[in-house]
């Protein structure tokens, strides 16, 4: 039976009438001993099984009695007895609640020795994560409230797979102004992030797809799951060697032009022109992953490749680095010929991106709060980058550092043969980070490089200095032999 609970206390003004506003509670009193005993038995079982957690507020007894069809005094007596037994607590103004309790100790099977567990690392320098503590809570809350107040009624119905028009319009203005993207709101399709976008695109594009020889294995896994063969392009200080596309047999290419992931540099101007020429000549499609394009420090902003030819380049972005991966919103700026195919691949209704979050982000962009947050975080991450570089120059001058002119991570160049040992040493010092080897395409002909991918955006402010200390302690003490 479903029981609604109402009111601030078990009785008195404000408790409400039976069946009015409140919570639901499922109870099935049954068994011998009368109604009070069966009710007490049902409540004990719900608490013992964990279905009613400590602190859970129970319905006022007059509401429960009305719903169960038993006398109010019977419910009151059952509550009182369970309070006396320690199952419940009752306090004026707080109602009747499940009492806090300590879980009983469980006997360990004598045949099984306790398993040792490594302590959770104290420090985290994994790439791909912004400082979670820097999320602009007040600005987001203000935008969410404003957007919710102004939202049209239809925003609360089934979602349009194109995305909310308010967000697509705000994105078109922002991306044109800040990233040099030639964006019409009609060409923008909202998604839940880059991975979601890639899954949609592989359903409408033909392979093989060329990818950078160093990149995320997770992205290669998405392509492999779609049975799309990938062809690695050599990467150097100027990004991917796009000239290799001519002999690759690829029909599409996935690039990180603003800040090659993970090695660092931007795609050189001649290579940008070359990849667009390749796409025009062959009918190919360029996927541009602009994963952290807002964060640059020692160089002029690098505009989007999409601005060179919007009909051959798909521009992909999200807020996972600029705001938080918890805000599951991303976007595709598509060539006109791909829009309806991608929307069809999404389905008739929006299934992943909350309309209310889209409205909040639209307001954040339109109000200027997003720009202010990005500028603030750009300064914070630059300071962290400087701290990292200074610490390495002082403590490990033999370790080269690259990719630090932009983004949220750096690559540390290690002596040959030391990468695995250094990652293990970092764990011994309570630090978790990635080696470079895991990013290398298995079919690449590039010589493997030993290195670390250090995400300096991830730690909280109060743990960053400790993370740097642990990193310096873990690094090989001398240069290559």
């Amino acid at each position: 039976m479903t029981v609604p609970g109402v009111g601030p206390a078990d009785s008195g003004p404000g408790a409400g009438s039976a069946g009015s506003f409140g919570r639901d509670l499922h109870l099935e009193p049954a068994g011998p001993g009368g109604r009070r005993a069966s009710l007490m038995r049902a409540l004990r079982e719900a608490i013992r099984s964990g279905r009613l957690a400590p602190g859970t507020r129970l319905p006022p007894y007059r509401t429960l009695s009305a719903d169960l069809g038993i006398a109010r005094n019977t419910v009151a007596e059952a509550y009182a007895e369970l309070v006396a037994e320690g199952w419940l607590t009752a306090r004026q103004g707080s109602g009747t609640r499940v009492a806090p309790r300590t879980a009983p100790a469980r006997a360990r099977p004598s045949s099984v020795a306790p398993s040792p567990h490594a302590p959770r690392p104290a420090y985290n320098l994994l790439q791909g994560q912004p400082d979670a503590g820097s999320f602009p809570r007040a600005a987001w809350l203000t935008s969410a409230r404003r957007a919710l107040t102004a939202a049209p009624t239809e925003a609360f119905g089934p979602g349009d797979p194109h995305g909310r028009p308010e967000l697509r319009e705000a994105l078109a203005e922002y991306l044109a102004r800040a990233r040099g993207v030639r964006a019409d709101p009609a060409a923008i399709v909202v998604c839940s992030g880059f991975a979601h976008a890639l899954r949609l695109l592989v359903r409408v594009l033909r392979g093989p797809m060329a990818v950078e020889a160093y990149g995320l294995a997770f992205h290669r896994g998405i392509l492999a799951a779609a049975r799309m063969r990938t062809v690695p392009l050599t990467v150097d200080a100027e990004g991917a060697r796009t000239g290799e596309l001519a002999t690759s047999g690829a029909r599409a290419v996935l690039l990180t032009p603003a800040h090659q992931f993970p090695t660092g540099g931007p795609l050189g101007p001649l290579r940008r022109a070359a990849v667009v020429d390749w796409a025009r000549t062959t009918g190919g499609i360029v996927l541009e992953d602009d994963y952290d394009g807002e964060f640059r420090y020692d160089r002029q902003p690098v505009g989007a490749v999409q601005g060179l030819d919007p009909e051959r380049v798909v521009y992909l972005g999200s807020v996972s680095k600029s705001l938080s991966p918890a805000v599951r919103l991303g976007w595709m700026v598509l060539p006109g010929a791909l829009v309806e195919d991608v929307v069809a691949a999404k389905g008739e209704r929006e299934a992943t991106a909350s309309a209310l979050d889209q409205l909040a982000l639209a307001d954040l962009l339109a109000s200027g709060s997003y720009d202010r947050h990005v500028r603030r975080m750009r300064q914070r991450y630059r300071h962290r980058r400087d701290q990292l570089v200074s610490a390495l120059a002082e403590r490990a001058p033999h370790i080269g550092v690259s990719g630090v002119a932009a983004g949220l991570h750096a690559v540390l160049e290690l002596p040959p043969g030391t990468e695995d040992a250094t990652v293990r040493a970092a764990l011994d010092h309570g630090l978790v980070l990635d080696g470079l080897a895991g990013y290398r395409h298995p079919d690449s002909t590039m010589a493997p490089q030993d290195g670390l991918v250090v995400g300096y955006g991830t730690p909280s402010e109060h743990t960053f200095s400790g993370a740097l200390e642990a990193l310096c302690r873990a690094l090989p003490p001398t240069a290559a032999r």
Side-chain angles (χ1 to χ4, degrees):
M1 181 175 295
T2 300
V3 181
V6 300
D10 288 342
S11 61
S17 60
S20 62
F21 313 102
R23 304 178 179 182
D24 289 337
L25 174 62
H26 180 78
L27 286 177
E28 295 182 354
R35 293 188 171 184
R36 185 182 62 152
S38 61
L39 175 58
M40 291 173 60
R41 189 161 47 244
L43 284 166
R44 287 194 197 99
E45 178 57 31
I47 296 169
R48 186 184 295 113
S49 68
R51 189 165 63 82
L52 292 180
T56 300
R57 184 169 179 168
L58 299 186
Y61 55 75
R62 65 183 184 179
T63 303
L64 188 61
S65 68
D67 196 86
L68 294 177
I70 59 180
R72 185 181 303 177
N73 286 344
T74 300
V75 178
E77 291 169 2
Y79 277 16
E81 190 164 341
L82 291 173
V83 168
E85 294 178 2
W87 292 92
L88 304 176
T89 62
R91 184 178 301 172
Q92 185 63 33
S94 181
T96 304
R97 297 178 182 270
V98 177
R101 64 189 187 278
T102 302
R106 297 183 178 181
R108 182 178 287 119
S110 58
S111 60
V112 180
S115 300
H117 294 284
R120 184 178 180 179
Y123 305 112
N124 183 350
L125 288 176
L126 292 172
Q127 64 77 31
Q129 305 173 39
D131 178 3
S134 296
F135 183 80
R137 300 187 190 206
W140 182 267
L141 182 60
T142 298
S143 285
R145 284 175 172 168
R146 194 157 49 213
L148 187 63
T149 301
T153 301
E154 50 88 14
F156 300 93
D160 182 344
H162 291 82
R164 288 298 309 171
E166 299 90 340
L167 179 56
R168 290 186 285 131
E169 290 171 8
L171 282 170
E173 187 278 332
Y174 172 78
L175 295 173
R177 169 173 52 83
R179 301 296 301 125
V181 173
R182 292 159 62 184
D184 183 320
I188 296 176
V189 174
V190 176
C191 54
S192 65
F194 178 83
H196 181 212
L198 189 57
R199 289 188 177 99
L200 292 171
L201 288 166
V202 295
R203 294 173 60 183
V204 301
L205 296 178
R206 300 175 65 184
M209 183 177 293
V211 298
E212 294 161 330
Y214 276 84
L216 279 174
F218 174 59
H219 293 165
R220 294 195 296 268
I222 292 175
L223 298 173
R227 297 186 178 181
M228 183 171 284
R229 185 169 66 87
T230 57
V231 182
L233 302 178
T234 304
V235 173
D236 59 24
E238 293 189 42
R241 293 183 180 175
T242 53
E244 296 176 2
L245 286 167
T247 57
S248 68
R251 295 171 180 259
V253 57
L254 172 59
L255 299 173
T256 51
H259 188 221
Q260 200 286 320
F261 183 84
T263 60
L267 188 64
L270 294 179
R271 295 184 181 182
R272 287 169 166 254
V275 73
V276 171
D277 287 343
W278 166 84
R280 290 169 176 168
T281 301
T282 65
I285 293 292
V286 181
L287 308 187
E288 179 176 13
D289 179 7
D290 194 26
Y291 67 98
D292 64 0
E294 295 96 342
F295 300 114
R296 75 274 179 183
Y297 315 118
D298 301 325
R299 71 180 192 203
Q300 292 297 313
V302 178
V305 172
Q306 189 267 2
L308 299 176
D309 193 337
E311 292 307 311
R312 304 305 330 162
V313 182
V314 178
Y315 178 88
L316 304 160
S318 78
V319 297
S320 64
K321 307 293 188 301
S322 57
L323 289 177
S324 167
V327 182
R328 301 303 304 153
L329 288 177
W331 48 85
M332 296 171 270
V333 183
L334 294 159
L338 291 180
V339 173
E340 292 309 316
D341 287 342
V342 170
V343 170
K346 284 190 74 177
E348 294 183 1
R349 297 183 178 184
E350 176 58 66
T352 58
S354 162
L356 299 184
D357 285 347
Q358 291 184 58
L359 291 171
L361 179 58
D363 185 272
L364 201 72
L365 288 162
S367 67
S369 294
Y370 184 83
D371 283 87
R372 289 190 289 274
H373 172 71
V374 167
R375 287 195 298 270
R376 183 168 58 250
M377 296 311 299
R378 189 181 296 146
Q379 293 302 315
R380 179 171 299 179
Y381 293 141
R382 178 173 186 159
H383 179 61
R384 289 191 181 187
R385 187 281 310 266
D386 292 346
Q387 288 180 280
L388 170 64
V389 173
S390 296
L392 293 170
E394 179 182 349
R395 302 279 299 276
H398 57 285
I399 299 295
V401 188
S402 62
V404 294
L408 304 181
H409 74 275
V411 173
L412 275 56
E413 301 159 12
L414 297 178
T418 63
E419 180 178 311
D420 290 345
T422 304
V423 173
R424 289 195 299 269
L427 282 175
D428 291 341
H429 288 287
L431 169 65
V432 59
L433 45 59
D434 286 331
L436 189 57
Y439 297 94
R440 182 176 180 273
H441 193 293
D443 297 333
S444 173
T445 58
M446 291 181 62
Q449 300 171 309
D450 283 66
L452 301 176
V453 181
V454 177
Y456 51 80
T458 304
S460 59
E461 286 292 300
H462 71 278
T463 63
F464 187 59
S465 59
L468 290 184
E469 175 65 24
L471 173 64
C472 291
R473 289 177 177 269
L475 292 173
T478 58
R481 292 170 296 198

